[in-house]
Structure formats: structure tokens, C-alpha cells
Amino acid sequence: ISMDHQNMSEHVLCMVLYLIELGLDNVLQEEPEEEEPCIEEHCHDSWFPGTNLLSNLHHVINFVRVRVPETAPEVKREPPASTSTDSSSFAQNSGAAQVFSLVAERRRKFQEIINRSSGEASQAVRPKSSATKWIPNGSTPQLTTAILEIRESMISLLIKLHHKLSAKQNSFCPPWIEDPEAFVRLDSVKYSHGDGISAIERILTKAALRARQNKRCIQEICMKISPPVPPKKNGPADKKTMDKEERRQKARERQQKLLAEFASRQKSFMETAMDVESPDADVAMDLGSSEQQDSEILYDCVICGQSGPSTEDRPTGLVILLQASSVLGHRCKSTEPKKLPTSDEEHIYPVDTCGATHDVRLTTLQRFFNDSSCLQSVSIGWEGGVYVQTCGHTLHIDCHKSYMESLRSDQVLQGFSVDKGEFTCPLCRQFANSVLPCYPGRGVEKAHCQTPSNKNLSVLVKEVEDLQEQMGTFSSETNLSREMESVIKDIKNTTQKKYMDYSKTPGSPDNDFLFMYSVARTNLELELVHRGGNLCCGGASATAKRSCLNQLFHVLAMHMRLYSIDSAYNPWTRLTQLTQKRDSYVCNDERPEVPLLFRDVPSLLIIFVLTMPQPLHKEHFTCIVKVLYTLQYIHAIATLSVKFSAEERLAWKNSGALKKHTPDAEKSWEVLLSHGISELSKGNRLYEVATEEMSMISSSVWSPQSIEYALQQFCLPFLRISSLLQHHLFGDDLPSCLVHEEEFPVLANCLGILPSAFQPSNQLHSASCLDWSVSAFEIISQWCSEVTEFADINAEHAVTLVVQDPHWTAPRLLHLPENYNTIFQYYHRKACTFCNKVPKDPALCLVCGTFVCLKGPCCKQQNYCECVLHSQNCGAGTGIFLLINASVIIIIRGHRFCIWGAVYLDAHGEEDRDLRRGKPLYLCEERYKVLEQQWVSHTFDHINKRWGPHYNGL
């Protein structure tokens, strides 16, 4: 009777079904004597008239007498019921009460025996129901007799249980109605397996086969539940679809059942673990925990299994891998990769790479301008930058320290160095070397910071200026702050000192400041590379699903807030205010600041965001983007004007001057171009030198359409970086577009700089996104005067610094010849450029094409062999080398190396390591693309597992 009760466990239920089926399998084979169904309303403890299972299955039990504790919450307090067979006396009692499980009662009695024998009464957790009475510890509750109306048989209970398990009202259909022959064949199956539904169907079928009375009883119960429906003829396709839907439904039910079981176990654990003094305190604690969950993000520790927020005293961190990277520095302007030289006439020139270009630019700025201003005008990290990636798993910092101690004491040979902080994620076993603390309490703050605002731009500009002048305030030293300082040290130790020290003054804090915001720039640029170089696909990126940039920005911002920018030299003031002209070029004691049109605008964006108090309000972020977009746009106009010929420059200057007094002159690229040319023409030297240089480079004719396209392309890299930064700071979804031509308006709309009156059907002009906080023509004149003053002294360098192309193609490995014999014949007898000897084991860098000696003592410098030394200079610790005499590729990552495999295979697709078989080898494009993808995505440590120490001997 209590089959379907909530206190009945599944194990007991399965045992009951098994015993019933076992009894049916061992019943006597002779036809049992037919009996009439018992309809007498006896109420006694012997529920069945005999021991015949076939008769007992269809026997109807009307009433049950049970002993119920007076304090049982399942039963209402009623006057003692009479034991007469009058059904009306039981209607009120049975309607208001539920069955108190006999199994639960026996379990309680057994627990009382244990308590009396041990002499210790366990403290019971009080139920949350206010109607429950409290029972003193050690007292035995009084039992009372309750008579409950049942009117069920075992067959009817089995059919109801079948309905519940299948979640359908008329789920059981007797099989002998549709196919009598199949019904007879079911009895021949000796062993059957399946879930609870199939077990009940087997029991009912066997019961119907053994006794005709059971068969009639089953049919009557099924007819009462649902009337007969004419059978439908389903084809094979329909049956296949029904089976598929049924499997899906069962899978969903099992999933929901598991989730409910987990929630029930967690709730039971919390109830038994907490010491509750009163029901009111319990309710208050529940309310407090719900509010805490709304305001704080909960993290699951993969070591201890506990879930909770990251706090100041016990911070939670992300498992991360820090590695130095020079992938960005090897980008070029050309869309085609560089070819590997296979003759003396072919050469590779690295001067046109991204890393070399930025190094030359920084060196030029430092020759003529203030050093501190120079280090805030560019970004480093193109070579030797620090890339941060995570597997997405979190753990407590103290649990991580215990985990590292256990790894140190482990004597098993490991492929990583625990002393250098290396470990594998306890959950996914991905290689890692640090933990990034999670900033606590981001739920409510995030919603608060994204509230829309209708403030004027000038008001927001003043608020941003006031926030920048606020000094960083830090609480007393906590575990969280210590861990943030620790991860900053890990980031600095990841790369070499030569990639961090660019200041002319050793130990200058400007070096630290430059390195911190360049780490953020490096990770944003690499994510953009992983997304294909643009944001047309929106959020379609595997790396974005496991990004840690939000937590990284908090750590970097905490460190950068230690430094303050002098208000007199704050770029924000020169961007948003008309300042008096300073004759800084006359004084020789102090070098001038870098003109705004020479500065890298994405670097300024990151500096402004990370030096402001956190969390940053979205309205202030949008204000910063709008102001910097005006600088980026005027920079694009200045770059275009330098590329014009003298005749074109004069023509565009005159045509734009005629429209200067129109209402929308400040948002017309033609007027702004004319005004920019007029201002830059005041220093005659700039355009004179530009005309001589550009006449040899560009001979194209500029039309209004080509100028508008060039302006949008020049501003697109800034909009992409801004959109990524907004995505990680505020959680906004990245937009997507179908064609590349729609990327500019889509990103402008995402950043909030698109004019409100813009219609999607109209063509967007890049100048319509401009929003000026002061007079456009006056502020442009101020910016251009800084350039003309410098151009009068150094015109050639001024042209070089003005003309910038922010577009770089995706990083590529060298283009290899199709036949391996071409490489082998040229390089296996080639002399080393360092020692002028033919190396015993020659190797070739597939990133830059440098020819090196593998394990050659002749080229060893400071106990570093040439391959290891080249991997530090070319890839900041990562090297990809092709062994000429073995046709295989080795990867060097820091202090480890591994054999990657071969990209040259024979005609059957097999490797020929060490060239033992002498088969002709051909380039496998698929393998080479996989190698290139692993290099760009920095996944060598995760994919390749057979690593070993090289001891600087390669």
C-alpha cells in the first residue's frame, strides 16, 4: 500500500517488485481455483484471505488500521475513529490525512532502541513548519490508532505506479488487446531487464497469464482510466519518431529526477549541519542567504567541493596559465606569409613586422620627447608580452596552497616543475602555473553600473576628470590584496626583463606603469586575433567562453591605481579643454610632451579605464570612448592628408572651406579634412617632406567614397578594442554582422556613439558619430599646432609619426616548399652564420627562418645552446624548429621541449623520421595548419603531453 509513498526508498520499491515477480515465476503451474473478489469491508491487520499470490493480487483492501504518533505532521488531529465498517465515519478522517509510512514508523522505533542502548539522545533538527509540536529529547511519542480508507488492490497500485513513472495518465495498455500472440510469447522470456516501467509491465502480464481473474481486473481498471481508442496504423517512420521522442522524454525525466535528488540531499545536509535556535532565526538566515546570492557571484572550488563567494579573508581564484608571447610581434602588413629562403638570392627582412615597427616608433619618440610621456603614448608586449588563459575552473587560494604542498611531496615523476609554481588543474588536468584572484561582489555592482544615463557629454567629461584626480584608497592588508600582489609578481616573472625595461631611467615606475596596461592590451589584441581579426561573428569564440579578462582587469587596476598622473600633464585635460599654448620647444632643459596625434589611442583608452576607481560606470566608459573617437578620427584625417598629392590637398581644402558655416559642419568629414589641412599647412615643412615621400609610394586618386572607406578602416581597430573591453567589463554581448561592410555601424551602435537619429537603411558616415565637448575647430587647431611645432624642427620624423597604419594581418608561420628535398638540399650543407661551420644537427626556425645549430657547443652563449637562446629572442621562450636531418619538428616552451611530429609525409601519408627510408616527402597542409593554429592560440602546453626538460642543451 505504501509503494508510492514519499518515504519509500527506490531500493525497497525495487525489492518489492522483484519479490512479486519472483513469486509469479514460482507459482504452481496448475490452473488456480477462480475466486470471487472479496468485497467484505473487514478492517484487520491480516490484509489478505490466504497465501495464494494470484488471488491476493486482485484482492481489494478497503480499510487499513495503523498506529500513528500523536505528533505526526502528516495526520490531522481528529477524535478517535470508530472501528465500525460504516464508510461515512472514515470519510472525513481519510480525506484530511495522509498515510503515515509503516516503514518510517519501524525506522523510528529502531532508532529509539539504538538511542536507549547508547544512552545519548541525538539532537533533532526542528522542522520549519510552524504547526509542528516540539518533543523533548528522550521522550517517546504517544501512538494513536487511525483507520484509513484505501480501496485498492495490488494490481491497481501497480497500474498507478506505472502511470507515475511514465508521467502519463493512461500509460499502461494491456498487450493482449492488440497482439494476443505477442502476449503469449512474453511468458517464454526468462530473463528480462529494463527500468521500473518495464518491470511493472512484466509483472502485470505474468499475472494475467496465470489467472483469468487478474486479466479481467487489469482490463476493468484500464477501461475506467481511459476508454478504448481505435488503433492507428503507424508506419516505420512514425514509430521511429515516437521512439525518439520517448527516449528524449525519459532522458529529461531522469535528468530532472537527478537534479531534484541532488537538491534534496543538499537541503538535508544544510538542515543537519546548521545549529538553529528558533524557526524565526532559520527564516532570517534563509532570507539573508538569498540576498547574498543575488549580490555575489558563487564559485565552486574544484578541490574541496564547497560553493561560495570570493571574500577578502578567503579569496577564490581562477586556474590560469601565464606565458610570454611574441605572436603579435610577428604580424605583417602583407596577407601572404613570408617564404622560407631556399637559395642564396632569397632573404627575409623582419623590419616590416609589428614588433619591429613599434620598437622603432618608441625609439623615435624617446629621442625627441619627455620619457614619461613617451611611455604613456605606446603599448609594449608585441614581443615578450604576457598572455593569460584559463580552463575556467576555480578553487580557494588556501586549497591551492595545500594542493601545491601535496605535489611537492609526491615522488611520482611529473612533466612540470612544482618549484616554479607549475601544476595541473585538479579537475581537467590542464597545465597551469598561477591562480588569478576573483574580485568579490560583482552582482549588484554590475547592474548598478549599467544604469542608463541622459547626462550631457560635458557633465560626464567633468565627472571623469574628477574621478581621475581621486587617489587610490586601499583597505588594510588582507588575504585578497596579498594574493593580487602575488599574481602581479607572477606576471612580471613570466617574461624577460628586456621586454619590460624601456625607460631611460633604470627602475623608473614608468616601466611598471607601461608594462601593466600593456598586459591588458596584449590580451585584448590576442583575443581579437583568435576571433579572426574582426568582430563580425560576435561572440563566436572558444576563448571567450573561458575568458579571465574581467578578473585580470581588476588586478591590473588595483596595481595601476598606485600611480597617479600629474593633472598638469594629464592627457584627458588636453583632449577635452582648450589650454594655453606653452613654448616647451624653446626650453632645452625639459623635453616636450608627445603630441596627441602621435599617441596610440587604444593605449590611452586602457590607461583611462584602469586608472579610474573601480567598478567603472558604463556612462563614464562611453564618455571616454566618445572623446577618444574624436582623437582617432582627426588622426585618420591627418594621416590621409599627408598621403594626398599637393593638388588633391588644395582641392579638398577649398571644397571643405565652403561648407564650414553649415549647421552640421562639425560632423562633416569634408569640413574637418579641410580644417585639418589648413592647420597642418601652417608648418610648411610637414607637407613638403610628405609630398616627396608619398609620391613614390601612392599614386591613387582619392574620391569621396574612398576617403570615407579609409576613415572607417582607420578607426575600426579602435572600435574593436573598445567593444571587447566593454564586453569584458560590463558583460555586454558582442554584436555580429553578416558582411564586413556592416562592422563599423554595428560596433558604433554597440558602443553608444551612433547618432540617435540614424536609420539602418541609410548609409552611415563616420563623422556623424563624432560628439564634441568643446568647439571642434578650436580643439583640432590645438592638436595640429603640436604637430606643426615639431615638424618645423624634424619634418622627416614628424611624417613618420603621423602616418600610421593600425591594420595588421593574422600571424603566420613561414610558407614552406612542397617538396622536402628542396629544403634538405639547401640547408643540410649550409654553414652556420655564427660559427661559420656546417652544423652536425642543423635546425630551422619556422617563425622567422633563422638557421641555427641544434645542441652545438660551438654556438653556446652563457651556457645556453643556440636553439634555446633563439627561442627566447624570437618567441620569448617559445620556439618551433624543423630538424633538417630528421624531418621532424620540436617545440621549446620555457625550460621544456617536446617532439611535435612531422609536417612532411610520404605518398602514403606516413612520417619518415631521421630519413631512414629515403622516401620522397611532401608537405601536409593539414598538419601545418594545425601547427600554426596551436602556435597562434598558445595551446602547445595543453595539447602536447610528452614534455621533458632540455637543460638549455638544445
Side-chain angles (χ1 to χ4, degrees), residues 857-870:
C858 55
C859 300
K860 182 178 293 188
Q861 300 180 35
Q862 298 178 355
N863 295 326
Y864 286 91
C865 286
E866 193 172 8
C867 278
V868 176
L869 195 62
H870 180 76

Side-chain angles (χ1 to χ4, degrees), residues 268-285:
S268 175
F269 173 77
M270 293 300 296
E271 287 179 351
T272 54
M274 290 188 303
D275 185 12
V276 184
E277 296 183 357
S278 65
D280 296 338
D282 194 6
V283 175
M285 184 172 292

Side-chain angles (χ1 to χ4, degrees), residues 1-10 12-13 16 47 64-69 71-75 97-110 143-144 146 148 150:
I1 290 177
S2 59
M3 274 185 183
D4 197 22
H5 192 262
Q6 58 183 356
N7 290 330
M8 177 70 70
S9 64
E10 289 190 3
V12 176
L13 187 60
V16 170
W47 291 339
V64 175
R65 180 189 295 113
V66 293
R67 301 282 292 172
V68 180
T71 58
E74 290 86 348
V75 181
Q98 300 177 358
V99 178
F100 186 81
S101 175
L102 297 177
V103 176
E105 182 180 355
R106 292 171 182 173
R107 187 183 303 164
R108 180 187 54 77
K109 292 181 178 181
F110 182 70
L143 297 180
T144 184
L148 305 179
I150 301 300

